């Protein structure tokens, strides 16, 4: 009888294994079609049937990486290695997750393991060497920072002595100033994939740094009854989609104000064109054109996701350092009519944060790993009450009750944030009190999402959503300038 019971049990296990494999294959198909949400769903179902399969965790980890859920990706890779410490792809996945989170030392340890097991693997050795170089560079930068007060790039620039060659036919600032004529010419110049003269780029950066450094960390504006503002979410280096926004909604002006809510750069390979255009409009209309910092206006993200590489390829390392300085002065939040708060990420890991706390944030730095500044750039809403560990591995996820308490304490109506791809370009959650807007359609040329922007009018502050689809762009792939460590392979 015991043998019969054992045989039945083995058959059930075999059937369960087959079911899990079918689910995994279904997930793989969705993954290849770049439908990562469904891939995650079916990998999860496979794990419910067979929770001891390292491959399923590793595959789901990669799907989480593609959806920028780095915290979940790290947890899955770690689980895969707990099940099978010899599973090499698990080390790859965990290293990639840690790289995405800027945890370079932890990533280096895993790459080192891979190289020891596979000494002839060229890809593994390349990744190990690249990661090792970053770790050493970071250590060197820390040593320099502690030795002396860091000097601004501006102090070492002599812009006046930079000559504009006779054969340069592109736009130039007029008497050193940005004008509407210059902006229109620059946008057309960029559209034709031509490079702005370095003198003009430096002029814009130095001037915008001066403008931004005089702003508070929390910008507060008042819309009159008949005035409206357009709020845009992430643009991520998708320059041709930015031009489309201006085509659909009109160029920025004193009567057509805009607020761009962070993540202007990285991933898309026209980030320089996007950011110089946005900075130019900030100089042209300083009181009617607003920019907030995103989690990608930071050194770690720029190093991994393309902006640093793009600036170095098109200009110099020195210019990237100046961009880094400018990004640190971008405000962190904006309050409209004392009723609507806009930030890139979301609300806070702890209750009790007030608008006054936001005003007091010393923002001229790389963001810390925790606290209100980190949360403003990184947190995400969740449907259930309370807070939970972030899917990104940074900050937290906050529920409707957290939103309700924050709004009540600060006498606000709702928040607007960005930071997440949404299929329709926007999403309304938390009973209408938490709105997400994302303005990079067909994100990374693969997500198939719409983009959106929001109109808010002074009369009622009722959000009006406007959707748009991606427009064609030159054949330059996203992530063209990204760190080679972020070029993730398949299964």
């Amino acid at each position: 009888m015991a043998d019969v019971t054992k045989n039945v049990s083995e058959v059930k296990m075999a059937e369960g294994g087959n079911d899990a494999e079918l689910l995994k294959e279904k997930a793989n198909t969705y993954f290849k079609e770049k439908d990562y949400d469904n891939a995650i769903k079916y990998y999860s179902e496979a794990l419910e049937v067979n929770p001891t399969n390292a491959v399923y965790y590793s595959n789901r980890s990669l799907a989480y990486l593609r959806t920028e859920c780095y915290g979940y990706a790290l947890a899955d890779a770690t689980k895969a290695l707990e099940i099978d410490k010899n599973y090499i792809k698990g080390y790859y996945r965990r290293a990639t997750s840690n790289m995405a989170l800027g945890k370079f030392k932890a990533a280096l340890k895993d790459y080192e393991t891979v190289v020891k097991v596979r000494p002839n693997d060229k890809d593994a050795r390349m990744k190990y060497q690249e990661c090792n170089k970053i770790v050493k560079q970071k250590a060197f930068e820390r040593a320099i920072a502690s030795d002396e007060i860091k000097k601004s790039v501006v102090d070492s620039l002599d812009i006046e002595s930079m000559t504009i060659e006779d054969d340069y036919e592109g736009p130039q600032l007029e008497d050193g100033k940005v004008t509407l004529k210059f902006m229109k010419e620059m946008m057309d110049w960029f559209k034709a994939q031509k490079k702005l003269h370095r003198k003009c780029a430096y002029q814009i950066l130095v001037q915008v740094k001066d403008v931004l450094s005089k702003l508070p960390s929390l910008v507060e504006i008042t819309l009159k009854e008949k005035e409206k503002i357009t709020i845009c979410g992430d643009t991520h280096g998708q320059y041709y989609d930015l031009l489309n926004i201006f085509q659909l909604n009109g160029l920025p002006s004193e009567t057509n104000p805009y607020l761009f809510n962070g993540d202007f750069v990285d991933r898309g390979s026209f980030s320089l064109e996007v950011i110089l255009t946005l900075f130019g409009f900030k100089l042209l209309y300083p009181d009617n054109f607003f920019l907030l910092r995103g989690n990608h206006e930071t050194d770690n993200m720029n190093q991994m996701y393309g902006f640093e590489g793009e600036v170095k390829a098109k200009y110099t390392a020195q210019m990237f350092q100046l961009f880094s300085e400018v990004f640190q002065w971008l405000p962190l939040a904006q309050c409209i009519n004392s009723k609507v708060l806009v930030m890139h990420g979301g609300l806070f890991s702890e209750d009790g944060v007030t608008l006054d706390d936001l005003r007091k944030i010393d923002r001229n730095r790389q963001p810390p790993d925790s606290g209100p500044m980190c949360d403003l750039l990184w947190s995400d809403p969740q449907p259930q009450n309370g807070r939970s560990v972030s899917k990104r591995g940074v900050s937290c996820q906050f529920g409707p009750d957290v939103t309700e308490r924050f709004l009540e304490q600060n006498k606000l109506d709702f928040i607007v944030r960005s930071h997440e791809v949404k299929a329709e370009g926007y999403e309304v959650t938390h009973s209408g009190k938490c709105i997400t807007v994302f303005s990079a359609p067909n994100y990374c040329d693969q997500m198939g999402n719409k983009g959106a922007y929001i109109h808010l009018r002074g009369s009622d502050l009722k959000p009006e959503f406007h959707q748009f689809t991606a427009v064609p762009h030159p054949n330059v792939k996203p992530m063209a300038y990204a760190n080679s460590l972020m070029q993730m392979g398949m299964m």
Side-chain angles (χ1 to χ4, degrees), residues 11-136:
V11 168
K12 284 184 176 178
M13 283 176 66
E15 287 175 349
N18 289 337
D19 289 345
E21 277 297 299
L22 289 171
L23 290 164
K24 185 200 82 168
E25 291 306 319
K26 195 168 185 178
N28 286 354
T29 301
Y30 278 116
F31 187 97
K32 287 170 186 170
E33 293 170 353
K34 298 175 181 176
D35 184 348
Y36 302 119
D37 288 338
N38 267 319
I40 289 165
K41 176 187 173 186
Y42 287 105
Y43 288 137
S44 300
E45 288 186 14
L47 282 164
E48 285 174 18
V49 177
N50 184 359
T52 60
N53 189 305
V55 174
Y56 301 170
Y57 279 108
S58 178
N59 286 4
R60 191 172 69 174
S61 176
L62 185 58
Y64 277 136
L65 280 165
R66 293 291 169 89
T67 56
E68 302 182 26
C69 297
Y70 307 128
Y72 289 174
L74 182 61
D76 271 0
T78 301
K79 184 67 178 174
L81 291 170
E82 286 173 6
I83 293 168
D84 181 358
K85 70 179 190 315
N86 297 315
Y87 184 58
I88 292 300
K89 282 187 180 177
Y91 291 102
Y92 264 117
R93 299 284 182 265
R94 190 163 71 178
T96 306
S97 304
N98 276 316
M99 288 298 299
L101 291 165
K103 296 177 180 177
F104 304 115
K105 281 187 179 178
L108 183 62
K109 191 175 177 184
D110 281 338
Y111 284 133
E112 193 172 12
T113 301
V114 176
V115 169
K116 282 179 182 175
V117 175
R118 293 183 176 175
N120 298 321
D121 186 328
K122 289 182 181 178
D123 183 65
R125 186 159 293 282
M126 180 275 293
K127 285 181 164 65
Y128 170 75
Q129 290 170 346
E130 182 68 22
C131 188
N132 195 27
K133 188 169 74 176
I134 293 172
V135 169
K136 287 179 177 175

Side-chain angles (χ1 to χ4, degrees), residues 418-436:
S418 300
H419 194 41
E420 288 182 287
V421 186
K422 296 298 175 187
E424 296 301 313
Y426 72 93
E427 186 176 63
V428 181
T429 56
H430 294 187
S431 303
K433 295 181 178 178
C434 178
I435 295 170
T436 299

